[in-house]
Amino acid sequence: WAHSFGHTCELHGLVSVGGQIALVEAVDKIIANLAEVHPTLLFSVPRIFNRIYDNLHKQMAGKPPVIQSLFKAGIAAATKARKQGAGSLGLGEKLKLTLAKKLIFKKVVEKLGGKMQYAFSGGAALSKEVAEFIDALGITVYEGYGLTETSPIATANRPGAHRIGSVGKPIEHVKIVID
């Protein structure tokens, strides 16, 4: 593990609860490796999420304009629904989101292994745009904060207390003091 966040979450956290771990052979092969192992969650640093985001957007740029438009509208509608509730979507937005999920998002998630439900990011700030994109695909994004020198995880978002762009509250048994 090149980073204490991954070492703590993956090695100690997952193994302690009986989880399975898969390691990528090289950063440039991460998409292929995800498709191979079908993970349900991904612990990573923002650089990897940025790579996934950039790779998928490059692929989308080669698609017909109608698909690109539906993709963008679907991301926008999913983001709005997350922020304001599903009831905030108009009929056109609901239709675009439904189509985007069936025609595009499903294929994108399949490229990531097809089973991913959660993405955990730490080690640096995750771009809000990248986090919203991943979340819009139906993969819940959790962010956290810590310092290698003190604790790789000091704060984290969690179910019921999840907000994109936030590193969450202190984890159990951790006291944060600003001095």
Side-chain angles (χ1 to χ4, degrees):
W1 283 264
H3 198 278
S4 62
F5 167 74
H7 184 258
T8 302
C9 292
E10 293 171 330
L11 182 59
H12 299 293
L14 287 177
V15 170
S16 71
V17 296
Q20 296 178 352
I21 299 172
L23 303 174
V24 298
E25 59 195 87
V27 174
D28 62 332
K29 297 191 186 246
I30 191 164
I31 300 290
N33 288 163
L34 290 171
E36 184 180 334
V37 299
H38 311 286
T40 53
L41 49 98
L42 175 64
F43 288 97
S44 192
V45 293
R47 180 173 75 101
I48 301 303
F49 291 114
N50 292 343
R51 185 175 286 251
I52 292 169
Y53 174 88
D54 291 342
N55 192 346
L56 293 172
H57 274 78
K58 283 179 191 171
Q59 291 176 15
M60 194 55 60
K63 301 291 182 191
V66 67
I67 297 296
Q68 291 180 37
S69 178
L70 181 60
F71 176 71
K72 289 176 185 172
I75 296 290
T79 300
K80 181 178 178 181
R82 180 185 49 77
K83 288 180 178 178
Q84 301 174 14
S88 68
L89 298 180
L91 183 59
E93 291 170 315
K94 287 179 185 176
L95 179 61
K96 289 175 186 174
L97 180 56
T98 300
L99 285 172
K101 282 181 177 181
K102 287 183 180 180
L103 301 175
I104 303 169
F105 295 1
K106 183 177 178 181
K107 291 178 183 178
V108 171
V109 172
E110 283 298 321
K111 286 183 182 242
L112 302 176
K115 296 181 180 180
M116 195 173 306
Q117 298 175 27
Y118 306 101
F120 297 86
S121 180
L126 178 64
S127 148
K128 192 171 185 178
E129 181 180 355
V130 172
E132 287 180 341
F133 164 74
I134 295 167
D135 202 78
L137 295 174
I139 301 168
T140 304
V141 177
Y142 292 101
E143 298 171 78
Y145 170 79
L147 291 170
T148 300
E149 301 82 4
T150 58
S151 171
I153 307 167
T155 68
N157 281 294
R158 56 191 63 109
H162 162 253
R163 190 177 76 204
I164 288 179
S166 161
V167 293
K169 297 178 180 180
I171 62 172
E172 190 176 358
H173 306 297
V174 169
K175 180 180 176 183
I176 305 289
V177 176
I178 299 173
D179 185 12

PDB file of all heavy atoms in Angstrom, residues 28 31 47 49-64 67-68 71-72 108 111 129 133:
ATOM      1  N   ASP A  28      -2.610   2.141 -14.704  1.00  0.00           N
ATOM      2  CA  ASP A  28      -3.223   2.257 -16.032  1.00  0.00           C
ATOM      3  C   ASP A  28      -4.121   1.065 -16.383  1.00  0.00           C
ATOM      4  O   ASP A  28      -4.806   1.081 -17.392  1.00  0.00           O
ATOM      5  CB  ASP A  28      -2.153   2.460 -17.106  1.00  0.00           C
ATOM      6  CG  ASP A  28      -1.186   1.299 -17.219  1.00  0.00           C
ATOM      7  OD1 ASP A  28      -0.967   0.595 -16.220  1.00  0.00           O
ATOM      8  OD2 ASP A  28      -0.650   1.103 -18.327  1.00  0.00           O
ATOM      9  N   ILE A  31      -9.244   0.117 -14.705  1.00  0.00           N
ATOM     10  CA  ILE A  31     -10.580  -0.143 -15.255  1.00  0.00           C
ATOM     11  C   ILE A  31     -10.706  -1.623 -15.625  1.00  0.00           C
ATOM     12  O   ILE A  31     -11.702  -2.274 -15.288  1.00  0.00           O
ATOM     13  CB  ILE A  31     -10.864   0.751 -16.482  1.00  0.00           C
ATOM     14  CG1 ILE A  31     -10.791   2.239 -16.110  1.00  0.00           C
ATOM     15  CG2 ILE A  31     -12.227   0.416 -17.083  1.00  0.00           C
ATOM     16  CD1 ILE A  31     -11.898   2.753 -15.246  1.00  0.00           C
ATOM     17  N   ARG A  47      -6.681  10.703  -6.982  1.00  0.00           N
ATOM     18  CA  ARG A  47      -6.000  10.553  -8.271  1.00  0.00           C
ATOM     19  C   ARG A  47      -6.601   9.406  -9.089  1.00  0.00           C
ATOM     20  O   ARG A  47      -6.756   9.502 -10.303  1.00  0.00           O
ATOM     21  CB  ARG A  47      -4.506  10.311  -8.030  1.00  0.00           C
ATOM     22  CG  ARG A  47      -3.685  10.140  -9.270  1.00  0.00           C
ATOM     23  CD  ARG A  47      -2.204  10.068  -8.920  1.00  0.00           C
ATOM     24  NE  ARG A  47      -1.814   8.811  -8.335  1.00  0.00           N
ATOM     25  CZ  ARG A  47      -1.204   7.838  -9.002  1.00  0.00           C
ATOM     26  NH1 ARG A  47      -0.897   7.998 -10.267  1.00  0.00           N
ATOM     27  NH2 ARG A  47      -0.870   6.732  -8.408  1.00  0.00           N
ATOM     28  N   PHE A  49      -9.756   8.129  -8.727  1.00  0.00           N
ATOM     29  CA  PHE A  49     -11.114   8.512  -9.123  1.00  0.00           C
ATOM     30  C   PHE A  49     -11.071   9.508 -10.286  1.00  0.00           C
ATOM     31  O   PHE A  49     -11.890   9.444 -11.197  1.00  0.00           O
ATOM     32  CB  PHE A  49     -11.890   9.093  -7.936  1.00  0.00           C
ATOM     33  CG  PHE A  49     -12.215   8.067  -6.896  1.00  0.00           C
ATOM     34  CD1 PHE A  49     -11.646   8.135  -5.635  1.00  0.00           C
ATOM     35  CD2 PHE A  49     -13.074   7.016  -7.164  1.00  0.00           C
ATOM     36  CE1 PHE A  49     -11.934   7.181  -4.665  1.00  0.00           C
ATOM     37  CE2 PHE A  49     -13.368   6.057  -6.204  1.00  0.00           C
ATOM     38  CZ  PHE A  49     -12.797   6.144  -4.954  1.00  0.00           C
ATOM     39  N   ASN A  50     -10.098  10.411 -10.257  1.00  0.00           N
ATOM     40  CA  ASN A  50      -9.925  11.361 -11.369  1.00  0.00           C
ATOM     41  C   ASN A  50      -9.598  10.616 -12.656  1.00  0.00           C
ATOM     42  O   ASN A  50     -10.093  10.965 -13.736  1.00  0.00           O
ATOM     43  CB  ASN A  50      -8.812  12.364 -11.066  1.00  0.00           C
ATOM     44  CG  ASN A  50      -9.167  13.315  -9.953  1.00  0.00           C
ATOM     45  OD1 ASN A  50     -10.333  13.462  -9.582  1.00  0.00           O
ATOM     46  ND2 ASN A  50      -8.163  13.936  -9.370  1.00  0.00           N
ATOM     47  N   ARG A  51      -8.764   9.602 -12.559  1.00  0.00           N
ATOM     48  CA  ARG A  51      -8.387   8.806 -13.738  1.00  0.00           C
ATOM     49  C   ARG A  51      -9.620   8.111 -14.323  1.00  0.00           C
ATOM     50  O   ARG A  51      -9.820   8.078 -15.532  1.00  0.00           O
ATOM     51  CB  ARG A  51      -7.324   7.795 -13.376  1.00  0.00           C
ATOM     52  CG  ARG A  51      -6.788   7.018 -14.555  1.00  0.00           C
ATOM     53  CD  ARG A  51      -5.662   6.120 -14.116  1.00  0.00           C
ATOM     54  NE  ARG A  51      -4.470   6.895 -13.864  1.00  0.00           N
ATOM     55  CZ  ARG A  51      -3.389   6.865 -14.649  1.00  0.00           C
ATOM     56  NH1 ARG A  51      -3.371   6.099 -15.701  1.00  0.00           N
ATOM     57  NH2 ARG A  51      -2.347   7.593 -14.348  1.00  0.00           N
ATOM     58  N   ILE A  52     -10.436   7.524 -13.463  1.00  0.00           N
ATOM     59  CA  ILE A  52     -11.664   6.861 -13.908  1.00  0.00           C
ATOM     60  C   ILE A  52     -12.582   7.871 -14.586  1.00  0.00           C
ATOM     61  O   ILE A  52     -13.103   7.634 -15.675  1.00  0.00           O
ATOM     62  CB  ILE A  52     -12.372   6.165 -12.725  1.00  0.00           C
ATOM     63  CG1 ILE A  52     -11.528   4.983 -12.228  1.00  0.00           C
ATOM     64  CG2 ILE A  52     -13.775   5.719 -13.098  1.00  0.00           C
ATOM     65  CD1 ILE A  52     -11.988   4.392 -10.905  1.00  0.00           C
ATOM     66  N   TYR A  53     -12.767   9.007 -13.942  1.00  0.00           N
ATOM     67  CA  TYR A  53     -13.613  10.087 -14.474  1.00  0.00           C
ATOM     68  C   TYR A  53     -13.112  10.531 -15.852  1.00  0.00           C
ATOM     69  O   TYR A  53     -13.888  10.609 -16.809  1.00  0.00           O
ATOM     70  CB  TYR A  53     -13.590  11.248 -13.469  1.00  0.00           C
ATOM     71  CG  TYR A  53     -14.293  12.498 -13.905  1.00  0.00           C
ATOM     72  CD1 TYR A  53     -15.653  12.670 -13.656  1.00  0.00           C
ATOM     73  CD2 TYR A  53     -13.608  13.536 -14.525  1.00  0.00           C
ATOM     74  CE1 TYR A  53     -16.304  13.835 -14.030  1.00  0.00           C
ATOM     75  CE2 TYR A  53     -14.250  14.695 -14.896  1.00  0.00           C
ATOM     76  CZ  TYR A  53     -15.592  14.844 -14.653  1.00  0.00           C
ATOM     77  OH  TYR A  53     -16.230  15.999 -15.031  1.00  0.00           O
ATOM     78  N   ASP A  54     -11.817  10.821 -15.953  1.00  0.00           N
ATOM     79  CA  ASP A  54     -11.242  11.280 -17.225  1.00  0.00           C
ATOM     80  C   ASP A  54     -11.372  10.217 -18.313  1.00  0.00           C
ATOM     81  O   ASP A  54     -11.740  10.521 -19.451  1.00  0.00           O
ATOM     82  CB  ASP A  54      -9.767  11.652 -17.051  1.00  0.00           C
ATOM     83  CG  ASP A  54      -9.564  12.904 -16.203  1.00  0.00           C
ATOM     84  OD1 ASP A  54     -10.535  13.677 -16.032  1.00  0.00           O
ATOM     85  OD2 ASP A  54      -8.432  13.088 -15.704  1.00  0.00           O
ATOM     86  N   ASN A  55     -11.096   8.975 -17.959  1.00  0.00           N
ATOM     87  CA  ASN A  55     -11.178   7.874 -18.914  1.00  0.00           C
ATOM     88  C   ASN A  55     -12.605   7.719 -19.457  1.00  0.00           C
ATOM     89  O   ASN A  55     -12.814   7.595 -20.662  1.00  0.00           O
ATOM     90  CB  ASN A  55     -10.707   6.586 -18.232  1.00  0.00           C
ATOM     91  CG  ASN A  55     -10.477   5.447 -19.187  1.00  0.00           C
ATOM     92  OD1 ASN A  55     -10.889   5.472 -20.335  1.00  0.00           O
ATOM     93  ND2 ASN A  55      -9.816   4.422 -18.714  1.00  0.00           N
ATOM     94  N   LEU A  56     -13.587   7.740 -18.565  1.00  0.00           N
ATOM     95  CA  LEU A  56     -14.968   7.579 -18.993  1.00  0.00           C
ATOM     96  C   LEU A  56     -15.452   8.772 -19.811  1.00  0.00           C
ATOM     97  O   LEU A  56     -16.197   8.611 -20.776  1.00  0.00           O
ATOM     98  CB  LEU A  56     -15.873   7.340 -17.788  1.00  0.00           C
ATOM     99  CG  LEU A  56     -15.633   6.006 -17.073  1.00  0.00           C
ATOM    100  CD1 LEU A  56     -16.429   5.942 -15.783  1.00  0.00           C
ATOM    101  CD2 LEU A  56     -15.979   4.833 -17.971  1.00  0.00           C
ATOM    102  N   HIS A  57     -14.997   9.971 -19.460  1.00  0.00           N
ATOM    103  CA  HIS A  57     -15.385  11.145 -20.236  1.00  0.00           C
ATOM    104  C   HIS A  57     -14.735  11.147 -21.627  1.00  0.00           C
ATOM    105  O   HIS A  57     -15.352  11.599 -22.599  1.00  0.00           O
ATOM    106  CB  HIS A  57     -15.069  12.438 -19.468  1.00  0.00           C
ATOM    107  CG  HIS A  57     -16.181  12.829 -18.543  1.00  0.00           C
ATOM    108  ND1 HIS A  57     -16.377  12.216 -17.326  1.00  0.00           N
ATOM    109  CD2 HIS A  57     -17.159  13.743 -18.668  1.00  0.00           C
ATOM    110  CE1 HIS A  57     -17.431  12.756 -16.744  1.00  0.00           C
ATOM    111  NE2 HIS A  57     -17.933  13.676 -17.540  1.00  0.00           N
ATOM    112  N   LYS A  58     -13.523  10.644 -21.735  1.00  0.00           N
ATOM    113  CA  LYS A  58     -12.880  10.515 -23.055  1.00  0.00           C
ATOM    114  C   LYS A  58     -13.671   9.549 -23.925  1.00  0.00           C
ATOM    115  O   LYS A  58     -13.891   9.811 -25.107  1.00  0.00           O
ATOM    116  CB  LYS A  58     -11.434  10.030 -22.916  1.00  0.00           C
ATOM    117  CG  LYS A  58     -10.472  11.096 -22.482  1.00  0.00           C
ATOM    118  CD  LYS A  58      -9.062  10.526 -22.347  1.00  0.00           C
ATOM    119  CE  LYS A  58      -8.151  11.525 -21.659  1.00  0.00           C
ATOM    120  NZ  LYS A  58      -6.849  10.955 -21.323  1.00  0.00           N
ATOM    121  N   GLN A  59     -14.093   8.443 -23.346  1.00  0.00           N
ATOM    122  CA  GLN A  59     -14.890   7.480 -24.092  1.00  0.00           C
ATOM    123  C   GLN A  59     -16.225   8.088 -24.509  1.00  0.00           C
ATOM    124  O   GLN A  59     -16.695   7.871 -25.623  1.00  0.00           O
ATOM    125  CB  GLN A  59     -15.123   6.220 -23.264  1.00  0.00           C
ATOM    126  CG  GLN A  59     -13.875   5.403 -23.056  1.00  0.00           C
ATOM    127  CD  GLN A  59     -14.112   4.204 -22.156  1.00  0.00           C
ATOM    128  OE1 GLN A  59     -15.251   3.814 -21.898  1.00  0.00           O
ATOM    129  NE2 GLN A  59     -13.032   3.613 -21.669  1.00  0.00           N
ATOM    130  N   MET A  60     -16.833   8.867 -23.626  1.00  0.00           N
ATOM    131  CA  MET A  60     -18.123   9.483 -23.927  1.00  0.00           C
ATOM    132  C   MET A  60     -17.995  10.515 -25.049  1.00  0.00           C
ATOM    133  O   MET A  60     -18.915  10.685 -25.847  1.00  0.00           O
ATOM    134  CB  MET A  60     -18.689  10.130 -22.653  1.00  0.00           C
ATOM    135  CG  MET A  60     -20.142  10.502 -22.734  1.00  0.00           C
ATOM    136  SD  MET A  60     -21.280   9.186 -23.187  1.00  0.00           S
ATOM    137  CE  MET A  60     -21.043   8.004 -21.896  1.00  0.00           C
ATOM    138  N   ALA A  61     -16.842  11.173 -25.134  1.00  0.00           N
ATOM    139  CA  ALA A  61     -16.623  12.180 -26.187  1.00  0.00           C
ATOM    140  C   ALA A  61     -16.666  11.559 -27.580  1.00  0.00           C
ATOM    141  O   ALA A  61     -16.955  12.257 -28.560  1.00  0.00           O
ATOM    142  CB  ALA A  61     -15.288  12.879 -25.968  1.00  0.00           C
ATOM    143  N   GLY A  62     -16.431  10.264 -27.676  1.00  0.00           N
ATOM    144  CA  GLY A  62     -16.477   9.583 -28.966  1.00  0.00           C
ATOM    145  C   GLY A  62     -17.864   9.069 -29.337  1.00  0.00           C
ATOM    146  O   GLY A  62     -18.051   8.498 -30.406  1.00  0.00           O
ATOM    147  N   LYS A  63     -18.821   9.263 -28.473  1.00  0.00           N
ATOM    148  CA  LYS A  63     -20.190   8.787 -28.713  1.00  0.00           C
ATOM    149  C   LYS A  63     -20.974   9.826 -29.514  1.00  0.00           C
ATOM    150  O   LYS A  63     -20.618  11.010 -29.550  1.00  0.00           O
ATOM    151  CB  LYS A  63     -20.907   8.517 -27.383  1.00  0.00           C
ATOM    152  CG  LYS A  63     -20.228   7.492 -26.502  1.00  0.00           C
ATOM    153  CD  LYS A  63     -20.300   6.114 -27.091  1.00  0.00           C
ATOM    154  CE  LYS A  63     -19.657   5.094 -26.155  1.00  0.00           C
ATOM    155  NZ  LYS A  63     -19.484   3.809 -26.769  1.00  0.00           N
ATOM    156  N   PRO A  64     -22.080   9.418 -30.123  1.00  0.00           N
ATOM    157  CA  PRO A  64     -22.929  10.372 -30.866  1.00  0.00           C
ATOM    158  C   PRO A  64     -23.429  11.497 -29.951  1.00  0.00           C
ATOM    159  O   PRO A  64     -23.633  11.279 -28.746  1.00  0.00           O
ATOM    160  CB  PRO A  64     -24.087   9.507 -31.352  1.00  0.00           C
ATOM    161  CG  PRO A  64     -23.574   8.105 -31.326  1.00  0.00           C
ATOM    162  CD  PRO A  64     -22.567   8.056 -30.201  1.00  0.00           C
ATOM    163  N   ILE A  67     -26.222  10.796 -27.422  1.00  0.00           N
ATOM    164  CA  ILE A  67     -25.811  10.020 -26.245  1.00  0.00           C
ATOM    165  C   ILE A  67     -25.075  10.930 -25.261  1.00  0.00           C
ATOM    166  O   ILE A  67     -25.307  10.867 -24.050  1.00  0.00           O
ATOM    167  CB  ILE A  67     -24.935   8.813 -26.642  1.00  0.00           C
ATOM    168  CG1 ILE A  67     -25.713   7.833 -27.519  1.00  0.00           C
ATOM    169  CG2 ILE A  67     -24.361   8.113 -25.412  1.00  0.00           C
ATOM    170  CD1 ILE A  67     -26.894   7.180 -26.836  1.00  0.00           C
ATOM    171  N   GLN A  68     -24.193  11.786 -25.783  1.00  0.00           N
ATOM    172  CA  GLN A  68     -23.472  12.726 -24.920  1.00  0.00           C
ATOM    173  C   GLN A  68     -24.452  13.635 -24.188  1.00  0.00           C
ATOM    174  O   GLN A  68     -24.302  13.890 -22.990  1.00  0.00           O
ATOM    175  CB  GLN A  68     -22.509  13.572 -25.751  1.00  0.00           C
ATOM    176  CG  GLN A  68     -21.348  12.805 -26.320  1.00  0.00           C
ATOM    177  CD  GLN A  68     -20.426  13.696 -27.142  1.00  0.00           C
ATOM    178  OE1 GLN A  68     -20.197  14.851 -26.791  1.00  0.00           O
ATOM    179  NE2 GLN A  68     -19.906  13.159 -28.224  1.00  0.00           N
ATOM    180  N   PHE A  71     -26.281  11.683 -21.519  1.00  0.00           N
ATOM    181  CA  PHE A  71     -25.345  11.438 -20.425  1.00  0.00           C
ATOM    182  C   PHE A  71     -25.267  12.656 -19.505  1.00  0.00           C
ATOM    183  O   PHE A  71     -25.433  12.544 -18.285  1.00  0.00           O
ATOM    184  CB  PHE A  71     -23.966  11.098 -21.007  1.00  0.00           C
ATOM    185  CG  PHE A  71     -22.881  10.916 -19.990  1.00  0.00           C
ATOM    186  CD1 PHE A  71     -22.856   9.809 -19.161  1.00  0.00           C
ATOM    187  CD2 PHE A  71     -21.873  11.850 -19.868  1.00  0.00           C
ATOM    188  CE1 PHE A  71     -21.843   9.631 -18.232  1.00  0.00           C
ATOM    189  CE2 PHE A  71     -20.846  11.678 -18.943  1.00  0.00           C
ATOM    190  CZ  PHE A  71     -20.844  10.565 -18.126  1.00  0.00           C
ATOM    191  N   LYS A  72     -25.045  13.835 -20.087  1.00  0.00           N
ATOM    192  CA  LYS A  72     -24.944  15.074 -19.290  1.00  0.00           C
ATOM    193  C   LYS A  72     -26.249  15.379 -18.575  1.00  0.00           C
ATOM    194  O   LYS A  72     -26.253  15.766 -17.401  1.00  0.00           O
ATOM    195  CB  LYS A  72     -24.540  16.239 -20.190  1.00  0.00           C
ATOM    196  CG  LYS A  72     -23.109  16.154 -20.671  1.00  0.00           C
ATOM    197  CD  LYS A  72     -22.774  17.278 -21.635  1.00  0.00           C
ATOM    198  CE  LYS A  72     -21.371  17.092 -22.188  1.00  0.00           C
ATOM    199  NZ  LYS A  72     -21.065  18.046 -23.250  1.00  0.00           N
ATOM    200  N   VAL A 108     -21.659   2.026 -17.872  1.00  0.00           N
ATOM    201  CA  VAL A 108     -20.502   2.597 -17.181  1.00  0.00           C
ATOM    202  C   VAL A 108     -20.199   1.782 -15.924  1.00  0.00           C
ATOM    203  O   VAL A 108     -19.051   1.415 -15.665  1.00  0.00           O
ATOM    204  CB  VAL A 108     -20.732   4.088 -16.841  1.00  0.00           C
ATOM    205  CG1 VAL A 108     -19.630   4.610 -15.931  1.00  0.00           C
ATOM    206  CG2 VAL A 108     -20.826   4.922 -18.111  1.00  0.00           C
ATOM    207  N   LYS A 111     -18.503  -1.399 -16.671  1.00  0.00           N
ATOM    208  CA  LYS A 111     -17.057  -1.245 -16.902  1.00  0.00           C
ATOM    209  C   LYS A 111     -16.284  -1.219 -15.588  1.00  0.00           C
ATOM    210  O   LYS A 111     -15.101  -1.517 -15.561  1.00  0.00           O
ATOM    211  CB  LYS A 111     -16.770   0.033 -17.697  1.00  0.00           C
ATOM    212  CG  LYS A 111     -17.144  -0.067 -19.146  1.00  0.00           C
ATOM    213  CD  LYS A 111     -16.775   1.199 -19.880  1.00  0.00           C
ATOM    214  CE  LYS A 111     -17.200   1.084 -21.315  1.00  0.00           C
ATOM    215  NZ  LYS A 111     -16.098   1.145 -22.229  1.00  0.00           N
ATOM    216  N   GLU A 129     -16.911  17.809  -8.566  1.00  0.00           N
ATOM    217  CA  GLU A 129     -17.419  17.366  -9.872  1.00  0.00           C
ATOM    218  C   GLU A 129     -17.244  15.853 -10.054  1.00  0.00           C
ATOM    219  O   GLU A 129     -18.159  15.154 -10.510  1.00  0.00           O
ATOM    220  CB  GLU A 129     -16.679  18.117 -10.986  1.00  0.00           C
ATOM    221  CG  GLU A 129     -17.124  17.773 -12.372  1.00  0.00           C
ATOM    222  CD  GLU A 129     -16.363  18.552 -13.441  1.00  0.00           C
ATOM    223  OE1 GLU A 129     -15.549  19.447 -13.104  1.00  0.00           O
ATOM    224  OE2 GLU A 129     -16.583  18.255 -14.613  1.00  0.00           O
ATOM    225  N   PHE A 133     -20.269  13.032 -10.081  1.00  0.00           N
ATOM    226  CA  PHE A 133     -20.362  12.132 -11.227  1.00  0.00           C
ATOM    227  C   PHE A 133     -20.479  10.678 -10.751  1.00  0.00           C
ATOM    228  O   PHE A 133     -21.372   9.944 -11.186  1.00  0.00           O
ATOM    229  CB  PHE A 133     -19.129  12.309 -12.123  1.00  0.00           C
ATOM    230  CG  PHE A 133     -18.922  11.206 -13.118  1.00  0.00           C
ATOM    231  CD1 PHE A 133     -19.724  11.105 -14.242  1.00  0.00           C
ATOM    232  CD2 PHE A 133     -17.930  10.264 -12.926  1.00  0.00           C
ATOM    233  CE1 PHE A 133     -19.547  10.089 -15.160  1.00  0.00           C
ATOM    234  CE2 PHE A 133     -17.745   9.241 -13.838  1.00  0.00           C
ATOM    235  CZ  PHE A 133     -18.554   9.151 -14.953  1.00  0.00           C
TER     236      PHE A 133
END
